[in-house]
Amino acid sequence: MADTTLRDIADELNVDISTVSKALNDHPKISDTTKLRVTKAAKELNYHQNKIAAALVKGASNLIGVMVPQTDEMFFSSIIRGIEEVVKNSGYNIIILQSNDQIEDEIENINILFQTKVDGILVSHAMETQQFDHYRQIIDRDIPFIFVDRYNTSLDTGVVAIDDFKGAYKAVSHLIDQGCRRIAHIAGRKHVHIYKERFRGYKQALQDHDLSFRDDMVVESNLKLEAGRTIARKFLKMDPRPDALFAAGDRVAMGAIQELKKQNISIPSEMALVGFSNEDFCSFVTPTLTSIDQHSRKMGQKSAKLLVEQLSNDENKKISQKTLLNPELIIRESSLQSQSGENNETF
Amino acid sequence: MADTTLRDIADELNVDISTVSKALNDHPKISDTTKLRVTKAAKELNYHQNKIAAALVKGASNLIGVMVPQTDEMFFSSIIRGIEEVVKNSGYNIIILQSNDQIEDEIENINILFQTKVDGILVSHAMETQQFDHYRQIIDRDIPFIFVDRYNTSLDTGVVAIDDFKGAYKAVSHLIDQGCRRIAHIAGRKHVHIYKERFRGYKQALQDHDLSFRDDMVVESNLKLEAGRTIARKFLKMDPRPDALFAAGDRVAMGAIQELKKQNISIPSEMALVGFSNEDFCSFVTPTLTSIDQHSRKMGQKSAKLLVEQLSNDENKKISQKTLLNPELIIRESSLQSQSGENNETF
DNA sequence: TTGAAAGCGTTACCAA
DNA sequence: TTGGTAACGCTTTCAA
């Protein structure tokens, strides 16, 4: 059954097709009576606007491209949720692309976005991306474009992320407050800006509390679970060994917990632990894991809002604004020296 | 900077626009030399096909609509991942819509999908949907359409899900094997087909092992964490109390674990536990949680494959096939009476 | 207030 | 093998 078109409605009502179009779009110069007749007929014929045709003539697809490394990482899926919520209410839809954390896929995806003629783009870039020329094309084409979370400073685009420096700073300061003095850091890849920031926050917190920074107390990793196990083993062999671990991710922290438990190291008294991201499971594990909440859903919402705003801006004035959300330290058992069971305060 | 069009390439090369189109589409009747010239010019001018225009004339958008309750639930985000992988390799893209488990959003989303002229639709329906007329429109319009996981039997569509009956049966049989005799069930909403199936599997397993079924051993719930706590409290008050809990979801099982631990009930010796979905955190909690793996990513892949297949089928022969994947019991500490630490076998 | 017609960028058919 | 042209369904400008 072929879809109803404007033509069908026009024929039905013996008016011109352009009249129908205008009536449906609530054009001011169409009489209320015709508007009524048209909307009625449209409903009867079960008409749905063909957005493809409209997009072609208007030069705007009402599509927003969203690219993340993978949809099935809690952090990204919740960003996506936030984006979808906002975007839909503004009449846009999102098309989702995954980079699988690989630059080749990223490049290919960007081409797809060009073909799809998306009106705007939201990206969290691949872990292994160190060279951002393919993103430059987006800017050259004047497509509104905002980085979410993982961003690159060399490009003049909008950015929505959390203040990773501050998050790390809060985490480490908290550990120091709890009496920890030899705090090690499980870092992410140092070419990724956000991980660099977390590392910087770690160092700064140490310095501000007159603790010395030591190179051998920092290990770079891919932040996966298995890495946490290995790295924990490594730290346990040190003498004196660290009395706390600040991990740049929850999964890698989880791996460390597993290893510590296996070796019967008590958490937090022998070694305290703070993760980063505040994934669901932080409150499920034993001991529950202190972490930094990144407000991922809000991050998605904010980036989408900014983008939509930019899109509705007549004078295509580029918003190359950087928005850093405030990270939140969620204190749980893994770092609380003064034990008090089900603690769960927020700072 | 306006995008390059076929016209630009044609002008550049002094050939007709239709020649360019054919050359780019590798049409057999175009000489290799012109193909070469055209592709070269296209690259130089940085041409990207306008899929919107192509979609309009071809009557196919190359878009596949995906609707899930929420993207930020592990299970759905991993379905989405699977879908995206398959679909991209077939030249399609996905647009994502969330129903927020509400029927109003569902109806609105379906209208959006009509407007976007998606070529096919993949849906996991909202928890609260009990009336499926809005889905019937999709069928009436001959849009290929497959249910993923949450499906309805009254509609003649394709279905990809796991065999929930079998999953529940495996879970309960396993508990019985472990010596449990009073097995309670935390069920999902009984109007949702998959939860009905899990309930059926539970009953059947009891019956096949000569255990009697009791109404008061089953509680229906929304499967959220908090519900798990409440329901566990309720079961703990029974006399004699259950020696095992089979939950239709991991989160609700998690809530139960929390309550049991709080009341110092030892797991699994005093009460064994099996969840459903095998979420990440199952292997993180203490004790690790036995669960049923649903192969969600594979589910996404399978449904996408089926849909794409159907789309490329010239004679629009509808695939109203039902594919049930085999659920996998992942045995962990929460149900293993013979304790052996880090057990993690697969059946 | 309504109608006619051009045009968005492609594809596909028929003619050359 | 290539060119011309209609058509996809809609919006928009100008004329009536």
Side-chain angles (χ1 to χ4, degrees):
Chain A
M1 185 175 71
D3 288 352
T4 312
T5 68
L6 290 187
R7 161 110 283 130
D8 298 325
I9 302 180
D11 287 352
E12 179 79 15
L13 262 38
N14 278 315
V15 295
D16 190 85
I17 185 175
S18 67
T19 307
V20 179
S21 170
K22 286 173 203 156
L24 253 20
N25 288 311
D26 206 23
H27 189 107
K29 304 204 167 180
I30 296 290
S31 71
D32 285 351
T33 33
T34 22
K35 279 183 190 170
L36 233 62
R37 291 179 62 215
V38 169
T39 45
K40 185 156 163 284
K43 190 164 289 175
E44 279 169 13
L45 296 175
N46 200 17
Y47 172 79
H48 291 269
Q49 184 199 39
N50 184 332
K51 286 210 175 187
I52 303 246
L56 185 58
V57 33
K58 291 208 277 202
S61 63
N62 277 347
L63 250 30
I64 287 176
V66 176
M67 172 159 66
V68 295
Q70 308 169 6
T71 63
D72 65 347
E73 213 168 287
M74 202 49 190
F75 176 65
F76 295 119
S77 64
S78 125
I79 287 183
I80 293 176
R81 179 171 190 197
I83 294 174
E84 202 269 349
E85 289 168 340
V86 170
V87 139
K88 181 155 67 184
N89 287 326
S90 315
Y92 291 91
N93 288 112
I94 53 175
I95 97 167
I96 300 280
L97 259 17
Q98 302 181 100
S99 68
N100 297 307
D101 264 324
Q102 286 178 306
I103 190 166
E104 303 79 29
D105 289 29
E106 237 178 20
I107 294 175
E108 193 194 326
N109 285 344
I110 290 180
N111 280 329
I112 291 177
L113 292 175
F114 287 155
Q115 299 185 163
T116 322
K117 302 290 172 205
V118 292
D119 294 342
I121 296 179
L122 258 17
V123 174
S124 209
H125 73 73
M127 183 80 97
E128 306 304 339
T129 304
Q130 305 200 38
Q131 198 265 82
F132 290 82
D133 284 352
H134 47 302
Y135 285 114
R136 210 151 263 135
Q137 296 177 69
I138 305 181
I139 301 173
D140 290 346
R141 286 169 172 257
D142 276 333
I143 304 177
F145 163 37
I146 295 177
F147 271 123
V148 187
D149 191 54
R150 297 216 202 129
Y151 63 102
N152 180 264
T153 47
S154 75
L155 294 170
D156 179 33
T157 64
V159 169
V160 175
I162 61 148
D163 191 333
D164 289 280
F165 172 84
K166 201 193 255 178
Y169 192 94
K170 278 185 182 177
V172 175
S173 301
H174 161 67
L175 284 169
I176 297 172
D177 279 354
Q178 297 297 308
C180 303
R181 287 298 171 266
R182 293 185 305 282
I183 303 171
H185 177 40
I186 305 183
R189 295 282 171 237
K190 65 172 171 292
H191 61 260
V192 179
H193 189 258
I194 57 173
Y195 299 131
K196 223 183 322 188
E197 285 294 292
R198 291 179 198 175
F199 178 42
R200 213 165 58 78
Y202 160 76
K203 268 167 92 170
Q204 189 67 47
L206 290 185
Q207 187 181 321
D208 289 357
H209 293 84
D210 295 320
L211 293 178
S212 63
F213 164 75
R214 291 178 44 172
D215 253 343
D216 61 348
M217 294 286 265
V218 178
V219 178
E220 185 182 328
S221 84
N222 61 6
L223 300 183
K224 303 226 165 111
L225 186 89
E226 193 43 56
R229 294 212 188 105
T230 321
I231 294 171
R233 259 195 302 276
K234 195 196 137 186
F235 281 134
L236 285 174
K237 282 200 206 109
M238 285 180 74
D239 187 22
R241 67 182 181 211
D243 56 7
L245 244 50
F246 165 53
D250 284 333
R251 254 154 227 279
V252 81
M254 185 63 224
I257 289 185
Q258 290 179 342
E259 184 64 28
L260 295 185
K261 283 168 88 169
K262 197 167 148 197
Q263 299 205 24
N264 287 314
I265 309 294
S266 125
I267 307 171
S269 59
E270 289 180 86
M271 197 174 292
L273 231 84
V274 177
F276 209 108
S277 277
N278 195 28
E279 297 222 34
D280 270 12
F281 64 76
C282 290
S283 57
F284 296 163
V285 292
T286 311
T288 54
L289 177 60
T290 297
S291 191
I292 298 287
D293 193 287
Q294 302 186 83
H295 305 298
S296 42
R297 184 165 165 197
K298 204 182 283 174
M299 212 142 122
Q301 292 171 333
K302 180 70 187 171
S303 62
K305 252 180 227 151
L306 235 51
L307 187 67
V308 167
E309 204 173 283
Q310 190 172 159
L311 288 172
S312 55
N313 234 335
D314 292 331
E315 335 114 46
N316 196 11
K317 77 163 175 203
K318 185 162 55 187
I319 303 182
S320 51
Q321 166 190 349
K322 186 163 157 186
T323 306
L324 294 186
L325 304 184
N326 201 14
E328 191 178 341
L329 176 67
I330 312 285
I331 300 182
R332 298 200 182 86
E333 295 162 358
S334 71
S335 70
L336 213 58
Q337 299 293 0
S338 53
Q339 43 279 78
S340 56
E342 273 288 296
N343 210 306
N344 205 320
E345 288 165 63
T346 290
F347 290 77
Chain B
M1 187 174 71
D3 287 353
T4 311
T5 68
L6 289 187
R7 159 111 283 127
D8 299 324
I9 301 180
D11 288 353
E12 179 80 14
L13 262 37
N14 278 313
V15 294
D16 191 85
I17 187 174
S18 68
T19 306
V20 177
S21 170
K22 285 173 205 155
L24 254 18
N25 288 310
D26 207 22
H27 189 106
K29 302 201 168 182
I30 296 290
S31 71
D32 286 351
T33 32
T34 25
K35 278 183 191 169
L36 233 61
R37 290 178 64 213
V38 169
T39 44
K40 186 158 163 281
K43 191 164 290 173
E44 278 169 14
L45 296 175
N46 201 16
Y47 171 80
H48 290 271
Q49 184 200 40
N50 185 330
K51 286 208 175 191
I52 304 245
L56 183 59
V57 32
K58 291 207 277 201
S61 63
N62 277 348
L63 251 29
I64 288 177
V66 177
M67 174 159 64
V68 296
Q70 310 169 5
T71 62
D72 65 347
E73 212 168 287
M74 201 49 190
F75 176 64
F76 295 119
S77 63
S78 120
I79 287 182
I80 292 176
R81 179 170 189 197
I83 294 174
E84 203 269 348
E85 289 168 340
V86 169
V87 140
K88 183 156 63 182
N89 287 323
S90 316
Y92 290 91
N93 288 113
I94 53 174
I95 97 166
I96 300 281
L97 260 19
Q98 302 181 101
S99 68
N100 297 307
D101 264 323
Q102 285 177 308
I103 191 166
E104 303 80 29
D105 289 29
E106 237 178 19
I107 294 175
E108 193 194 327
N109 285 343
I110 289 179
N111 281 330
I112 292 177
L113 292 175
F114 287 155
Q115 299 186 161
T116 322
K117 302 291 172 201
V118 292
D119 294 341
I121 295 179
L122 259 16
V123 173
S124 209
H125 74 73
M127 184 79 98
E128 307 303 339
T129 304
Q130 306 200 38
Q131 198 265 79
F132 290 81
D133 285 352
H134 47 302
Y135 285 114
R136 211 152 262 133
Q137 296 177 69
I138 305 181
I139 301 172
D140 290 346
R141 287 170 170 254
D142 276 333
I143 302 177
F145 162 37
I146 295 177
F147 271 123
V148 186
D149 192 54
R150 298 216 202 128
Y151 63 101
N152 180 265
T153 48
S154 75
L155 294 170
D156 179 32
T157 64
V159 169
V160 175
I162 62 149
D163 190 332
D164 289 280
F165 172 83
K166 201 194 256 181
Y169 191 93
K170 278 185 182 177
V172 175
S173 300
H174 161 68
L175 285 169
I176 297 172
D177 279 354
Q178 297 296 308
C180 304
R181 287 298 170 267
R182 295 185 304 284
I183 303 171
H185 178 40
I186 305 182
R189 296 282 172 236
K190 64 172 171 292
H191 61 260
V192 179
H193 185 75
I194 58 172
Y195 300 130
K196 223 183 321 188
E197 285 294 291
R198 291 179 198 176
F199 178 43
R200 213 165 57 79
Y202 159 77
K203 269 167 92 169
Q204 190 65 48
L206 291 184
Q207 188 181 320
D208 289 358
H209 293 83
D210 296 318
L211 294 176
S212 63
F213 164 76
R214 291 177 45 171
D215 253 343
D216 61 348
M217 293 287 263
V218 177
V219 178
E220 185 181 328
S221 84
N222 62 6
L223 300 184
K224 302 224 165 115
L225 187 89
E226 194 43 55
R229 294 212 188 106
T230 322
I231 294 171
R233 261 194 300 277
K234 194 192 138 187
F235 281 135
L236 285 173
K237 282 198 206 112
M238 286 181 73
D239 188 23
R241 68 180 180 213
D243 57 7
L245 243 51
F246 164 54
D250 284 333
R251 255 154 225 280
V252 81
M254 185 63 225
I257 289 185
Q258 290 179 342
E259 184 64 28
L260 295 186
K261 282 167 88 169
K262 196 166 149 197
Q263 299 204 24
N264 287 315
I265 308 295
S266 126
I267 308 171
S269 59
E270 288 180 87
M271 197 174 292
L273 230 85
V274 177
F276 209 108
S277 277
N278 195 30
E279 297 222 35
D280 269 13
F281 64 76
C282 291
S283 57
F284 297 162
V285 292
T286 310
T288 53
L289 177 61
T290 297
S291 191
I292 298 287
D293 193 285
Q294 302 186 84
H295 305 298
S296 42
R297 184 164 164 199
K298 204 181 283 176
M299 212 143 123
Q301 292 171 334
K302 180 72 187 169
S303 63
K305 254 180 225 152
L306 235 53
L307 187 67
V308 167
E309 204 173 284
Q310 190 172 160
L311 288 172
S312 55
N313 235 334
D314 293 330
E315 336 113 46
N316 196 10
K317 77 164 174 200
K318 186 162 53 186
I319 303 182
S320 51
Q321 167 191 347
K322 186 163 157 186
T323 306
L324 294 186
L325 304 185
N326 201 15
E328 191 177 341
L329 175 67
I330 312 284
I331 300 183
R332 298 200 182 87
E333 295 161 358
S334 71
S335 70
L336 212 57
Q337 299 294 0
S338 54
Q339 42 280 77
S340 54
E342 273 288 298
N343 210 309
N344 206 318
E345 288 165 62
T346 292
F347 293 76

